[in-house]
């Protein structure tokens, strides 16, 4: 297989670190792999501020592609990471060869993540953010909520999760083009157990006619089944 360039984007409370197992496998097979961390999370958690919006996340990735001079990229978004990769496809399609949504969220232009949540769930999360940080961030949930139960995986995940910039949930994604901007795209569903917040995105992917693959593991597949994820990303990259 030809060498590919993978850029792996994490979801809520995570950082680029969560891809280390998958990145190691892909790199060992000769691919170029990077996993940038979004502003305010992981090793960049010291930059947490009220000014971080979903557009900040889009800019993070665009800057990464530009400054690393990455082209023909296989851009992979996990969970909430599906939102900014949609934004990147809208503004920098010339650098992307393929989009892959891994159990990821997908927004239309003008939508926020909270628009897709049940109203009571959105209100509960806002109340928790207000209570714990004055509305600055949302504290992490236990690894079990991502389908992570093996002690070794919990020990890897739990100490690295950091509060998530709250405005990224409530600011809308602005697009000039349809989701995906006409680029080749695929969707991967994690099925054991299924992650309910991703159901709308899977439905949208079906409506777009995108290929849909499945991995029989929980939502944090890159932690629980890195070999299966790496194999499928490589396969979908073509």
């Amino acid at each position: 297989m030809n060498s590919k360039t993978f850029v792996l984007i994490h979801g809520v409370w995570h950082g680029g670190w969560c891809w280390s197992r998958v990145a190691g496998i892909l790199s060992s097979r000769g691919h170029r792999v990077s996993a940038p961390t979004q502003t305010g999370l992981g090793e960049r958690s010291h930059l947490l501020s009220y000014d971080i919006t979903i557009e900040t996340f889009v800019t993070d990735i665009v800057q990464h592609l530009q400054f690393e001079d990455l082209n023909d990229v296989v851009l992979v978004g996990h969970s909430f990471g599906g939102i900014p990769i949609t934004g990147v496809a809208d503004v920098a399609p010339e650098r992307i060869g393929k989009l892959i949504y891994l159990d990821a969220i997908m927004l239309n232009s003008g939508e926020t993540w909270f628009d897709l949540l049940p109203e009571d769930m959105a209100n509960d999360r806002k109340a928790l953010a207000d209570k714990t940080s004055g509305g600055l961030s949302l504290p992490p949930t236990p690894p079990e909520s991502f389908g992570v139960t093996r002690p070794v995986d919990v020990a890897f995940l739990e100490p690295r999760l950091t509060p998530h910039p709250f405005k990224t949930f409530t600011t809308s994604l602005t697009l000039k083009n349809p989701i995906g901007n006409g680029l080749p795209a695929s969707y991967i569903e994690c099925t054991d157990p299924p992650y309910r917040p991703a159901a709308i995105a899977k439905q949208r992917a079906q409506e777009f006619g995108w290929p849909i693959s499945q991995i029989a593991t929980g939502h944090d597949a890159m932690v629980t089944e890195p070999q299966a994820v790496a194999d499928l990303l490589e396969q979908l990259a073509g």
Side-chain angles (χ1 to χ4, degrees):
M1 177 175 288
N2 294 332
S3 175
K4 298 289 184 179
T5 299
F6 291 90
V7 177
L8 311 175
I9 307 302
H10 64 85
V12 174
W13 301 305
H14 292 55
W17 55 265
C18 73
W19 291 101
S20 59
R21 298 172 179 180
V22 171
I25 295 168
L26 290 174
S27 295
S28 73
R29 296 174 180 174
H31 301 294
R32 182 176 182 180
V33 187
S34 60
T37 294
Q38 307 273 38
T39 302
L41 290 149
E43 74 274 17
R44 306 181 70 204
S45 56
H46 62 291
L47 300 175
L48 181 63
S49 81
Y50 288 98
D51 296 327
I52 299 170
T53 68
I54 197 62
E55 289 303 321
T56 309
F57 282 10
V58 173
T59 302
D60 282 340
I61 304 167
V62 171
Q63 294 281 82
H64 179 74
L65 298 180
Q66 291 177 346
F67 280 85
E68 295 293 331
D69 194 23
L70 302 178
N71 295 286
D72 198 25
V73 163
V74 181
L75 185 59
V76 182
H78 172 253
S79 192
F80 193 79
I83 301 174
I85 73 165
T86 300
V88 175
D90 195 64
V91 298
E94 70 281 357
R95 291 192 177 266
I96 301 171
K98 179 146 194 181
L99 296 168
I100 299 178
Y101 291 77
L102 174 58
D103 222 31
I105 310 305
M106 210 181 288
L107 296 184
N108 288 310
S109 187
E111 284 182 331
T112 72
W113 172 216
F114 272 22
D115 288 339
L116 302 188
L117 289 181
E119 187 175 355
D120 59 336
M121 185 181 294
N123 289 338
D124 286 347
R125 292 190 173 188
K126 183 179 187 305
L128 181 58
D130 288 340
K131 179 181 178 182
T132 57
S133 65
L136 172 63
S137 61
L138 188 68
T141 57
E144 289 77 13
S145 65
F146 311 120
V148 177
T149 56
R150 286 189 306 231
V152 64
D153 295 334
V154 171
F156 170 70
L157 201 64
E158 198 163 40
R160 293 176 173 85
L161 298 174
T162 52
H164 189 93
F166 191 75
K167 263 192 184 175
T168 62
F169 299 125
T170 59
T171 50
S172 62
L173 185 66
T174 301
L175 304 173
K176 294 181 180 178
N177 304 285
I179 293 173
N181 199 8
L183 292 164
S186 299
Y187 196 89
I188 301 172
E189 178 189 18
C190 298
T191 61
D192 188 19
Y195 186 64
R196 288 193 304 159
I200 294 175
K202 179 193 171 186
Q203 180 182 336
R204 289 178 173 177
Q206 289 173 321
E207 292 169 355
F208 298 152
W210 295 354
I212 297 176
S213 306
Q214 295 180 329
I215 298 179
T217 191
H219 183 56
D220 265 17
M222 67 284 180
V223 174
T224 57
E225 292 292 342
Q227 186 77 51
V229 171
D231 290 347
L232 191 49
L233 293 182
E234 197 174 43
Q235 175 187 328
L236 293 173

